[in-house]
Amino acid sequence: RNDADALRCEAAALRRERDDAGRVESAATRALKESEALARDEADAARREAASLKRERDAARFDDESRRARERSFKEEAGALRSERDDLRRDAAALRRERDDA
């Protein structure tokens, strides 16, 4: 009788652990998908911004001082966008690892 009760309690605890792990995995998967969607949105925005910046640069090509100043700014902004993209990729990879570990 006590063995059966202990086994039932252990089985219930294992089911709770399984259910908890499933919830953690679902949350990690949702977070990963959201992170990946955000990374895609950021990449799309970066591409649009880069195209916009190129058009601005082309429009300013006859003004040497202005063009040089803009190119420096574009490079700094592109570096910042690449850094942000890399951060998002690292976050997505960490979320994938968390999901896989769950």
Side-chain angles (χ1 to χ4, degrees), residues 37-58:
L38 177 61
R40 281 191 302 275
D41 291 347
E42 290 286 331
D44 290 344
R47 280 191 290 277
R48 285 190 303 273
E49 180 70 11
S52 173
L53 294 173
K54 184 181 184 309
R55 286 190 298 273
E56 286 181 34
R57 184 196 67 207
D58 291 346

Side-chain angles (χ1 to χ4, degrees), residues 7-93:
L7 287 174
R8 276 193 289 279
C9 286
E10 186 177 343
L14 289 171
R15 281 192 296 276
R16 283 191 300 274
E17 279 185 40
R18 182 199 61 208
D19 294 345
D20 289 346
R23 282 190 289 278
V24 167
E25 182 180 1
S26 292
T29 299
R30 257 190 323 279
L32 174 62
K33 287 180 181 178
E34 289 170 3
S35 177
E36 288 172 340
L38 177 61
R40 281 191 302 275
D41 291 347
E42 290 286 331
D44 290 344
R47 280 191 290 277
R48 285 190 303 273
E49 180 70 11
S52 173
L53 294 173
K54 184 181 184 309
R55 286 190 298 273
E56 286 181 34
R57 184 196 67 207
D58 291 346
R61 87 177 89 153
F62 295 109
D63 181 355
D64 241 7
E65 276 304 310
S66 174
R67 183 176 52 91
R68 287 186 191 134
R70 286 177 191 268
E71 285 176 351
R72 280 192 301 276
S73 174
F74 296 161
K75 287 177 184 176
E76 290 168 4
E77 190 166 344
L81 289 170
R82 280 192 293 276
S83 177
E84 187 174 338
R85 178 201 61 206
D86 293 344
D87 289 346
L88 288 169
R89 285 181 176 165
R90 277 192 293 280
D91 291 347

